[in-house]
Amino acid sequence: MSKLKFFIVSDSVGETAELVAKAAASQFRQDLDTVAMKRFSHIEEKSQLAEIAWLAEQQGAIVVYTLVRSEMRASLTQCCQEHNVQCIDLLGPIMQSIDHVLDERPIEEPGLVRQLDDDYFKKIEAIEFAVKYDDGRDPRGVLNADIVLVGISRTSKTPLSQYLAHQRFKVANVPLVPEVEPPAELYSIDPNKVFGLVISPEILNSIRKERLIALGLKDDASYAKIDRIEHEINHFNKVIKKIGCTVIDVSNRAVEETANVILSQKNTYEFEKIRKDLHR
């Protein structure tokens, strides 16, 4: 099977063109090891385009490009035609359509879509927060979190924290273990920020056994036994009752589904809070 080669050309990073090329290539090569991607980023000179077209001819590559300047797009198209190289312009046709609809000329300044804004910084800050306060590493994070997840081991606390962080929420998660006293911070914050994650003993038993095997250990350790799991769940129920927070059964839920439940509950609480404030 012949190898499929792409030259990704961009006046910015080139991520968009590479993703589109991979999506198209996957329809012909399910094994992406048979697909080669060479990225040419931050291309600003026409002389570079001529060299890229020549290299593409030598290697039998398809050129896929995202160039915002019309003169650069025209130049690369011409170079590829001269070298009999297939080339695909991803931005040009869309920009021309927008130009036609708005009757406005594009700015043609590379990299605008990647400019850092407040929304970007909030997302990065939330992701860093989730990492820093993962698995109860520092209980002080509970006081500054938008959302606090509480649960016993293997109830998806970490992946759920990361998913919510990508939605720009600062999330701390706290594991509950019968032998360890929960951090006092859990009892001093608004319980509407806290979400307890519970799971059926049978499903957790299976998950923990798989975890032990993945670590190269025997699956009959106390950690995976039903009686140990039930003991942990009983401890979880006592702590959650004391906190007075919402409990979500994650037994048959994907991370995205659990996140939607949390965000829906959080929105409901925020709306109720606003209504109360308006009536004061």
Side-chain angles (χ1 to χ4, degrees), residues 47-94:
S47 59
Q48 295 174 296
L49 301 178
E51 186 175 356
I52 290 169
W54 180 82
L55 287 171
E57 180 186 21
Q58 303 305 307
Q59 297 187 21
I62 299 172
V63 175
V64 179
Y65 60 95
T66 50
L67 298 167
V68 298
R69 288 163 55 195
S70 56
E71 60 180 299
M72 291 289 282
R73 294 198 301 273
S75 180
L76 182 53
T77 299
Q78 183 179 345
C79 289
C80 287
Q81 288 175 347
E82 291 173 355
H83 290 278
N84 198 29
V85 170
Q86 289 287 332
C87 66
I88 299 97
D89 178 8
L90 296 180
L91 281 183
I94 299 174

Side-chain angles (χ1 to χ4, degrees), residues 107-227:
I107 299 171
E108 295 194 349
E109 182 180 333
L112 290 180
V113 75
R114 293 186 62 84
Q115 284 188 348
L116 304 183
D117 55 18
D118 289 342
D119 191 56
Y120 174 82
F121 280 119
K122 284 179 182 178
K123 183 176 180 179
I124 295 303
E125 185 180 4
I127 292 171
E128 291 177 345
F129 187 95
V131 171
K132 184 176 182 180
Y133 298 110
D134 180 46
D135 208 29
R137 290 175 186 169
D138 186 345
R140 291 175 298 180
V142 169
L143 301 174
N144 299 314
D146 300 315
I147 297 169
V148 179
L149 305 177
V150 181
I152 63 177
S153 175
R154 312 312 294 176
T155 49
S156 303
K157 296 186 299 299
T158 296
L160 184 55
S161 294
Q162 284 297 320
Y163 184 88
L164 289 167
H166 278 79
Q167 310 301 313
R168 297 161 197 79
F169 292 99
K170 293 181 180 178
V171 186
N173 75 76
V174 180
L176 295 183
V177 183
E179 294 77 17
V180 179
E181 190 68 24
E185 288 83 355
L186 273 181
Y187 305 114
S188 64
I189 62 171
D190 184 348
N192 288 291
K193 289 185 176 182
V194 186
F195 295 87
L197 308 179
V198 71
I199 190 170
S200 83
E202 293 75 21
I203 292 176
L204 186 55
N205 170 253
S206 176
I207 292 172
R208 287 190 175 182
K209 281 185 175 181
E210 290 178 6
R211 176 61 175 167
L212 289 171
I213 292 171
L215 293 172
L217 303 172
K218 293 182 178 180
D219 66 358
D220 60 351
S222 172
Y223 171 74
K225 289 184 176 177
I226 288 290
D227 57 350

